[in-house]
Structures are given as C-alpha cells and as structure tokens.
Amino acid sequence: MSVANFHLLVLASYYILMLRGCLSCEGHLVALFVFGDSNYDPGNNNYINTTAGFQANFWPYGISYFNPPTGRFSDGRIIPDFIAEYAKLPLIPTYLDPKNNEFVYGANFASAGAGILVESYAGYTIDLKTQLEYLGDLEKQFRQSLGDEKTDQLLSDAVYLFSCGSNDYLSHADNNDNILYPYTHEQYVGMVIGNLTDVFKGIHEKGGRKFGISTVAPLACWPSVRAHRPGKTCNDELEIIINLHNQQLSKKLKELEKQLEGFKYSVFDLNTEVSNRMKNPSKYGFKIGDSACCGTGPYGGIYSCGGKRRIKEFHLCDNASEYFFFDSNHNNEVASRQYAELYWNGESNVTAPYNLKTLFEGEGSLALGREEL
Ligand SMILES: *[C@@H]1O[C@H](CO)[C@@H](O)[C@H](O)[C@H]1NC(C)=O
Ligand SMILES: *[C@@H]1O[C@H](CO)[C@@H](O)[C@H](O)[C@H]1NC(C)=O
Ligand SMILES: *[C@@H]1O[C@H](CO)[C@@H](O)[C@H](O)[C@H]1NC(C)=O
Ligand SMILES: *[C@@H]1O[C@H](CO)[C@@H](O)[C@H](O)[C@H]1NC(C)=O
C-alpha cells in the first residue's frame, strides 16, 4: 500500500469512528436510567419497609434465570435487563442495593407498587417523585466525582426508561361502578398525565433528552382483575380508562417534543403487544395466554405466588416459558424478551417515533448505519 493510500485509510477510519457515535468508546457511554413500577423493579423494594405483596425476592421468582431470586417480578429477566444487553451495558444496578455504588452506566430506581400519583399504594413503595429525587442525588455525586462537563454529557446522552401508570389504575380496580370516584375519568387521567409531565420536565431540567415509555397494558383482563370479579369477566370500565390514558400520553408527548428543547422519545405500544399475546398465545410461542403460571384461584389470579403474601396457597406450573403470565400481575421472561426486541428495533407501528436503538446510537451512527461499516 502506498503512503498516500495509507493516509487515506487512517483518515477514513477516523471519520468512521467519529460517526459511529462511540457506542462503546470510553467517556462516551450512553447510560440507562430506569424508573417506574414492578415491571422494571430489579429489587429496590428489598430495601424498603413494605409488605410481601410488593416484593418478589423469594422462590419461585427468578426460577428461569436468577439464583437466588433478585426481587424481579418474573421467572427471569425483565425488559430493562434485555435493553441493557442490546445497548452493550452491564445489568443496570439496583439503586437501593447498598452493594452498588458505581452508576456511570446508569441506575434503576423502579419500585413495585409505584404509580405516577403519590397516592397510589402510598407507604408501600417509592413513588415516581422520590425516584426523580434519587436521580438528583446521583447528579450531585456525579458532579463531585466526574466534574460538570462529563456529568452534563452523561445526563444528556443517557436514555430515561419508564414503566408507569398501571398502579394508578389497578389500585382502583376493585371498586364498583365509577371506579375513580370522586373524579371523572378525564380529571383523573389528567392528573396522572400531568404528574408524569412534571417528572419528564424535571429530568429535562437536569439535561435529560431521550425518553422511553410504554403504553399501559390491558389490565382490564389481567388474571388478578378477573379473579376478583363476579362472573370472572374483564373490567370494561378499566379498559375505557386505560385507553384514555394511552391516548392522552401520546398527545402529551407530541406537545413536549415541541415545548422542550432537544426532547426525543420512544413509545412502545405494550398495550397492543399484550392484547395480541393474550388473544393468540400460540402465535408467540405460549401455550396459555390468560392464566398465571404461579398463583391460585380462577386464572391463577389470586396473587399468592411464593406463599408469603396474605393468601398462602399457590400452585406453580411445570414450565414457566409456556405461560404468558408468570404470576397474576406480571408476564414471564420470554414475553419480556419479545417486548425488549420490539422496543429496541421495532418498526414504527410498534415503537415510535424513534426506537431505543436510534435513541442510544444518536444521530452520527444513524447517518452511517452500523451494518455498513
Ligand atoms: C415498617 O412499617 C410498619 C407498618 O407500616 C411499622 O409498624 C414499622 O414501624 C415500620 N418499620 C420501620 C423500620 O420503619
Ligand atoms: C399531581 O397529582 C396531584 C395528586 O397527587 C394533583 O393534586 C395535582 O393536581 C397533579 N398535578 C398535575 C400537574 O396534574
Ligand atoms: C418449556 O417450554 C418451552 C416453550 O414451549 C420449550 O421450548 C422448552 O423446551 C420447555 N422446557 C422443558 C424443560 O420442557
Ligand atoms: C408491524 O409491521 C410488521 C411488518 O410490517 C408486522 O409484521 C407487524 O405485525 C406489525 N405490528 C403491528 C402491531 O401491527
């Protein structure tokens, strides 16, 4: 090779590295901060004063992957675990676990039972506002240890992933008639979306720009909801409310994109994906779509998995991979992996307007697809 060609090669490599967005370059890590409820809690609730209903750090939770159980509400891994893997990050550390003190790859603040409203299961969980305060505490630590410039970079490159809303509605599901009384549906959903907006704005003020959130799942037909209803039917009012929430969520995100400088987001349509799997489990590799692997009563919907909660009796299926629902409120690991794949690089009919891969890799690498390198 001639000297001129060699120089050209060096120059070309240099530009390619710059354009790749440095997904794996030291100092340009894209961190992942996780917020929300039991769908994303990796075990924070092991370290708070709550009850076993809001904890899952006992057998048979974790049987497919973690030994001993970590506190995840699943037989195995949950969505943030797979997202971290796809983003080439280590497992995102559980914020409240005293063994963890290194958070430059991100932190998981999620807490089972948390709603968007402080009132949802108050006293048993770490609400979303407190989770945001924890991010503020971390920001202070980063500023001390990394300095302002690196901290600003870390916070603006990072992706902020949310699973929330379910508990604001599930906590009312056992009421009769107007389940949100004294609020109308519009008033209550307005408060929920209003408080979520406050949290998004709080993160944006700290420099956060990239947000991921999923629509609320069709809880109306959850095993735990049906088991408590006369006739074991789905809760039609809950379905109407959740559809309203999901519409208001999309609308609000479009507004925020216009209002907040640099705000980018990814909405994963969990609601549709769950419905499809419950209606047609075999298409997605499940044998059973409507009943829990671990629990008791109709549809395995009595929330007794593990025998440490109010009701001690429970049964466990032979193969957790065959049941879309692991316990009466949470899907199994296979479903979480399927969701994570769609969230990561799904098409815009599932994850929009950006998917997480695009948010993590940033503009540079997008212009020059990684596959083309
Ligand atoms: C934990 O909560 C229970 C019931 O709410 C309370 O009686 C107890 O004092 C609390 N324990 C601690 C250590 O805060
Ligand atoms: C947030 O929720 C509280 C109830 O916890 C409510 O009083 C308040 O109006 C809500 N905020 C917004 C902006 O909707
Ligand atoms: C459990 O079920 C899955 C999905 O049907 C299947 O692939 C796997 O082989 C089963 N495992 C055992 C131990 O039977
Ligand atoms: C999205 O589009 C893909 C391919 O066009 C299709 O396979 C998939 O079923 C669609 N998903 C939904 C939820 O419509």
Side-chain angles (χ1 to χ4, degrees):
M1 182 188 316
S2 75
V3 172
N5 277 348
F6 179 72
H7 278 152
L8 208 64
L9 187 71
V10 170
L11 207 66
S13 316
Y14 175 71
Y15 279 112
I16 285 171
L17 275 176
M18 277 192 18
L19 286 165
R20 284 181 72 151
C22 270
L23 197 64
S24 53
C25 302
E26 274 300 332
H28 287 271
L29 303 166
V30 177
L32 175 60
F33 294 99
V34 181
F35 297 81
D37 54 29
S38 56
N39 294 312
Y40 287 3
D41 185 349
N44 281 308
N45 278 16
N46 306 349
Y47 306 100
I48 66 170
N49 187 15
T50 185
T51 66
F54 298 95
Q55 292 177 320
N57 52 346
F58 42 81
W59 184 87
Y61 287 101
I63 44 166
S64 304
Y65 192 79
F66 293 104
N67 186 17
T70 55
R72 285 166 174 77
F73 289 74
S74 170
D75 60 311
R77 286 160 289 181
I78 53 179
I79 292 175
D81 299 328
F82 292 111
I83 299 299
E85 182 189 318
Y86 304 153
K88 303 193 165 58
L89 295 167
L91 269 190
I92 302 304
T94 304
Y95 183 68
L96 291 185
D97 182 341
K99 288 197 294 298
N100 295 331
N101 49 29
E102 178 66 59
F103 298 105
V104 289
Y105 298 105
N108 188 327
F109 307 110
S111 169
I116 294 169
L117 300 181
V118 171
E119 288 84 353
S120 299
Y121 299 124
Y124 294 98
T125 179
I126 306 155
D127 61 70
L128 207 55
K129 283 209 177 68
T130 307
Q131 295 181 28
L132 176 62
E133 285 169 19
Y134 289 164
L135 178 70
D137 296 343
L138 259 192
E139 180 192 359
K140 285 194 197 100
Q141 282 181 37
F142 287 147
R143 292 199 183 281
Q144 283 183 357
S145 60
L146 304 174
D148 285 338
E149 197 183 323
K150 276 192 176 156
T151 301
D152 291 340
Q153 176 99 48
L154 190 158
L155 294 175
S156 69
D157 281 348
V159 171
Y160 300 84
L161 201 64
F162 286 78
S163 167
C164 54
S166 295
N167 289 310
D168 299 296
Y169 305 111
L170 267 184
S171 55
H172 294 266
D174 291 343
N175 298 355
N176 298 315
D177 303 333
N178 179 1
I179 65 178
L180 299 176
Y181 184 84
Y183 299 102
T184 65
H185 295 174
E186 285 73 16
Q187 284 170 337
Y188 189 87
V189 170
M191 281 191 331
V192 170
I193 298 294
N195 278 265
L196 180 64
T197 304
D198 289 347
V199 171
F200 278 17
K201 286 183 172 165
I203 292 176
H204 186 266
E205 275 166 25
K206 297 185 194 308
R209 292 295 180 265
K210 307 174 192 170
F211 294 77
I213 187 161
S214 36
T215 55
V216 170
L219 310 172
C221 295
W222 244 217
S224 65
V225 170
R226 294 181 74 178
H228 292 96
R229 286 176 62 78
K232 312 306 165 204
T233 53
C234 301
N235 184 332
D236 295 338
E237 191 185 353
L238 195 55
E239 182 176 346
I240 292 169
I241 296 165
I242 284 165
N243 290 340
L244 183 64
H245 171 99
N246 290 337
Q247 285 161 16
Q248 295 296 319
L249 176 66
S250 306
K251 201 169 145 218
K252 181 55 78 176
L253 289 166
K254 289 198 185 96
E255 285 172 26
L256 289 178
E257 191 179 28
K258 294 207 183 85
Q259 278 172 18
L260 304 179
E261 186 258 312
F263 182 86
K264 278 207 171 79
Y265 67 95
S266 167
V267 180
F268 170 57
D269 191 2
L270 179 68
N271 187 283
T272 302
E273 294 303 321
V274 170
S275 291
N276 289 346
R277 282 162 181 77
M278 289 179 71
K279 278 186 213 138
N280 201 350
S282 62
K283 189 178 162 198
Y284 298 89
F286 305 107
K287 274 203 180 132
I288 312 286
D290 59 358
S291 302
C293 164
C294 186
T296 191
Y299 303 102
I302 306 292
Y303 185 54
S304 61
C305 182
K308 295 203 186 265
R309 299 180 180 139
R310 197 166 50 82
I311 294 175
K312 307 295 173 205
E313 180 205 335
F314 74 102
H315 60 76
L316 177 65
C317 67
D318 289 337
N319 184 347
S321 301
E322 293 176 345
Y323 282 69
F324 171 68
F325 283 99
F326 179 64
D327 74 12
S328 18
N329 285 311
H330 305 97
N331 62 252
N332 72 2
E333 180 185 79
V334 175
S336 288
R337 182 198 290 277
Q338 294 175 357
Y339 299 150
E341 282 173 9
L342 292 167
Y343 209 161
W344 180 253
N345 62 13
E347 297 183 44
S348 58
N349 61 350
V350 182
T351 306
Y354 297 100
N355 58 31
L356 289 179
K357 183 170 189 270
T358 310
L359 292 190
F360 270 94
E361 296 188 356
E363 315 266 321
S365 51
L366 197 73
L368 192 76
R370 286 166 63 76
E371 293 73 19
E372 292 159 42
L373 292 177

